[in-house]
Amino acid sequence: MDFDFSEEQQMLKDSVRRLLEKEFPRSYARECDEQRRFPRELWNRMAEMGWLGLPLPKEYGGTGGTEMDMTILIEELARGLTAGALAYVVSMCFGGKSIDYFGSPEQKAEYLPRLARGEILYALGLTEASGGSDVLSLTTRAEYDGDNFVINGEKMFITLAHEADFMVTVARTGQPIPKKSHGLSLIITDMKSPGITVERLNQFGMRASGINHIILQDVKVPKTNLLGQIDKGWYHLLQTLNNERITLGAMGVGIAQAALEDMLEYAKQRHAFDKPIGQFQSIQHRIANIAAEVECARWQVYRAAWLQSLGRPCGYEATMAKMIASEVAFRSASTGMHILGGHGYLMEQDMQRYFRDARLGTFSPVSNDMARNFIAESLGLPRSY
């Protein structure tokens, strides 16, 4: 088994790190977080560098990269600005990859080049207030009306919807018989359509990307905006969800790595009792434990990305990667808060931002309790719900 990056992958990793350190340093990340401002400047530069087209086919303006390439990019983005990484995951997984996987030739020609150029952003309209992890209980409906769908319903906790140009709306077009997974469809929805109301929510972390409550009232969407097959949307979405879990795992590794680097630097510089605190065994052991966990999480994520890059089944590994990496990210940030003490509690420091951003991954987009259920079922245990 070869654990080395290719020359191109190492160049990608190094290029992302250099760009962030030179043009979008920690001060930029703090500013976007404090102002709840989408990092549009970073997004535009990623388009210029060709990174938005990384996972897209060459014939549509992309570079034909693999899921492994996406994972490397997102880990480095998250190390510098987590909200930028989350925006990439949402727009490219649910916009770019979904259209690439299931879109018609006309849809690919219309949307993918614009995504690669950074001209449009995507959101995923899946979660509803009453459903949470029970996403198949969604009640948003899309009814036929001539050449249109008419969508009615509400979505909750939708990342980036206030900035998105389009949303892949998951709506019920048929009956949930014999399973609740039947009768769902994916519909590309223009966010400027009449009848859409977007209310931005004031969340704890990931403040530069933003989450939203959306009301859809008699929203007309052309039937040609159906993504994939009618009533088969959930089965289409499963492939995209694996990609989401892997890339969110990469995001967790990036947060964990940033927190590790900060606590390590602080332990070297901070003195107490006439010596650096990094000389105390209790501090050394805490940092050593986090370093080991970060490496374990990283290789679990990379393995899942490698499997998906080869087109092999990876639902079990992707779910495990998301679960492990998100929990390591939160433990890393929590340990960093402990080691930095009062300094870690200050809003001027980055550690509290890592702490806030990392918390999201433990319960979203699927809670780690639900992830454990899936892993247990994959091992042959009976379903618990």
Side-chain angles (χ1 to χ4, degrees), residues 316 319-321 323 370-381:
Y316 171 79
T319 303
M320 194 176 290
M323 180 192 77
M370 287 295 293
R372 285 179 168 85
N373 288 343
F374 177 81
I375 292 167
E377 290 168 28
S378 299
L379 293 171
L381 296 175

Side-chain angles (χ1 to χ4, degrees), residues 158-211:
I158 307 303
T159 301
L160 213 64
H162 63 292
E163 291 282 345
D165 301 282
F166 297 93
M167 179 172 70
V168 176
T169 305
V170 185
R172 196 163 289 285
T173 48
Q175 296 301 317
I177 300 171
K179 298 179 179 180
K180 289 198 293 184
S181 56
H182 292 190
L184 296 175
S185 298
L186 309 180
I187 302 170
I188 301 172
T189 307
D190 189 331
M191 292 301 287
K192 296 185 293 295
S193 301
I196 297 180
T197 302
V198 178
E199 175 195 5
R200 186 170 182 183
L201 306 174
N202 189 18
Q203 79 261 31
F204 178 65
M206 297 288 187
R207 292 172 62 81
S209 55
I211 57 174

Side-chain angles (χ1 to χ4, degrees), residues 148-338:
N148 298 311
F149 291 109
V150 178
I151 306 175
N152 283 281
E154 294 188 38
K155 299 294 180 179
M156 180 61 86
F157 307 125
I158 307 303
T159 301
L160 213 64
H162 63 292
E163 291 282 345
D165 301 282
F166 297 93
M167 179 172 70
V168 176
T169 305
V170 185
R172 196 163 289 285
T173 48
Q175 296 301 317
I177 300 171
K179 298 179 179 180
K180 289 198 293 184
S181 56
H182 292 190
L184 296 175
S185 298
L186 309 180
I187 302 170
I188 301 172
T189 307
D190 189 331
M191 292 301 287
K192 296 185 293 295
S193 301
I196 297 180
T197 302
V198 178
E199 175 195 5
R200 186 170 182 183
L201 306 174
N202 189 18
Q203 79 261 31
F204 178 65
M206 297 288 187
R207 292 172 62 81
S209 55
I211 57 174
N212 302 267
H213 171 219
I214 302 173
I215 299 174
L216 302 107
Q217 185 172 8
D218 295 328
V219 179
K220 289 190 176 183
V221 181
K223 286 183 180 177
T224 53
N225 282 26
L226 174 70
L227 186 56
Q229 294 180 282
I230 194 74
D231 294 342
K232 302 294 184 182
W234 178 248
Y235 304 99
H236 294 330
L237 201 58
L238 286 177
Q239 187 172 355
T240 309
L241 289 177
N242 283 336
N243 192 224
E244 177 198 40
R245 290 174 186 180
I246 293 168
T247 50
L248 286 177
M251 198 168 73
V253 172
I255 297 172
Q257 182 65 39
L260 173 61
E261 291 173 7
D262 282 14
M263 73 177 83
L264 183 60
E265 182 64 24
Y266 186 83
K268 293 176 180 177
Q269 300 298 327
R270 171 79 162 90
H271 281 66
F273 305 103
D274 302 320
K275 57 185 176 182
I277 63 170
Q279 194 170 336
F280 294 108
Q281 191 178 69
S282 62
I283 299 296
Q284 291 179 348
H285 285 188
R286 288 176 186 270
I287 293 176
N289 285 341
I290 292 299
E293 289 188 32
V294 173
E295 282 301 299
C296 290
R298 176 175 287 117
W299 292 111
Q300 178 63 40
V301 171
Y302 285 0
R303 171 168 166 72
W306 173 73
L307 287 170
Q308 193 173 47
S309 295
L310 295 177
R312 292 166 59 177
C314 63
Y316 171 79
E317 292 84 359
T319 303
M320 194 176 290
K322 181 269 176 188
M323 180 192 77
I324 292 171
S326 63
E327 294 186 355
V328 168
F330 189 62
R331 280 197 297 273
S332 183
S334 300
T335 301
M337 293 278 284
H338 181 86

Side-chain angles (χ1 to χ4, degrees), residues 3-280:
F3 288 93
D4 282 338
F5 289 161
S6 68
E7 183 178 349
E8 292 79 10
Q9 288 171 336
Q10 188 61 53
M11 288 174 60
L12 172 65
K13 181 181 179 70
D14 294 342
S15 296
V16 177
R17 182 166 295 199
R18 282 196 303 270
L19 180 73
L20 290 174
E21 291 177 350
K22 182 179 179 181
E23 299 184 32
F24 304 99
R26 300 285 183 85
S27 58
Y28 176 81
R30 284 185 220 116
E31 181 182 288
C32 290
D33 178 76
E34 291 167 2
Q35 297 177 4
R36 302 172 66 211
R37 179 168 65 83
F38 177 69
R40 179 68 63 175
E41 301 87 354
L42 173 59
W43 191 259
N44 292 340
R45 284 293 279 131
M46 287 197 288
E48 292 173 11
M49 297 293 288
W51 297 339
L52 298 185
L54 181 68
L56 304 179
K58 293 181 180 179
E59 59 266 36
Y60 297 110
T63 58
T66 66
E67 286 80 1
M68 187 67 192
D69 298 326
M70 280 184 69
T71 299
I72 293 167
L73 171 66
I74 290 166
E75 180 188 338
E76 282 300 316
L77 284 174
R79 176 181 168 273
L81 177 55
T82 318
L86 181 59
Y88 193 100
V89 170
V90 171
S91 199
M92 302 315 298
C93 285
F94 298 119
K97 297 302 289 184
S98 292
I99 294 172
D100 181 26
Y101 290 152
F102 317 117
S104 66
E106 294 78 14
Q107 289 171 339
K108 293 180 182 182
E110 168 67 19
Y111 297 112
L112 295 186
R114 297 170 68 190
L115 271 167
R117 293 193 297 266
E119 295 173 358
I120 55 176
L121 285 165
Y122 267 82
L124 174 67
L126 174 60
T127 310
E128 298 186 0
S130 61
S133 292
D134 185 15
V135 294
L136 293 178
S137 294
L138 66 86
T139 59
T140 296
R141 289 202 63 86
E143 304 285 355
Y144 295 110
D145 181 18
D147 292 331
N148 298 311
F149 291 109
V150 178
I151 306 175
N152 283 281
E154 294 188 38
K155 299 294 180 179
M156 180 61 86
F157 307 125
I158 307 303
T159 301
L160 213 64
H162 63 292
E163 291 282 345
D165 301 282
F166 297 93
M167 179 172 70
V168 176
T169 305
V170 185
R172 196 163 289 285
T173 48
Q175 296 301 317
I177 300 171
K179 298 179 179 180
K180 289 198 293 184
S181 56
H182 292 190
L184 296 175
S185 298
L186 309 180
I187 302 170
I188 301 172
T189 307
D190 189 331
M191 292 301 287
K192 296 185 293 295
S193 301
I196 297 180
T197 302
V198 178
E199 175 195 5
R200 186 170 182 183
L201 306 174
N202 189 18
Q203 79 261 31
F204 178 65
M206 297 288 187
R207 292 172 62 81
S209 55
I211 57 174
N212 302 267
H213 171 219
I214 302 173
I215 299 174
L216 302 107
Q217 185 172 8
D218 295 328
V219 179
K220 289 190 176 183
V221 181
K223 286 183 180 177
T224 53
N225 282 26
L226 174 70
L227 186 56
Q229 294 180 282
I230 194 74
D231 294 342
K232 302 294 184 182
W234 178 248
Y235 304 99
H236 294 330
L237 201 58
L238 286 177
Q239 187 172 355
T240 309
L241 289 177
N242 283 336
N243 192 224
E244 177 198 40
R245 290 174 186 180
I246 293 168
T247 50
L248 286 177
M251 198 168 73
V253 172
I255 297 172
Q257 182 65 39
L260 173 61
E261 291 173 7
D262 282 14
M263 73 177 83
L264 183 60
E265 182 64 24
Y266 186 83
K268 293 176 180 177
Q269 300 298 327
R270 171 79 162 90
H271 281 66
F273 305 103
D274 302 320
K275 57 185 176 182
I277 63 170
Q279 194 170 336
F280 294 108

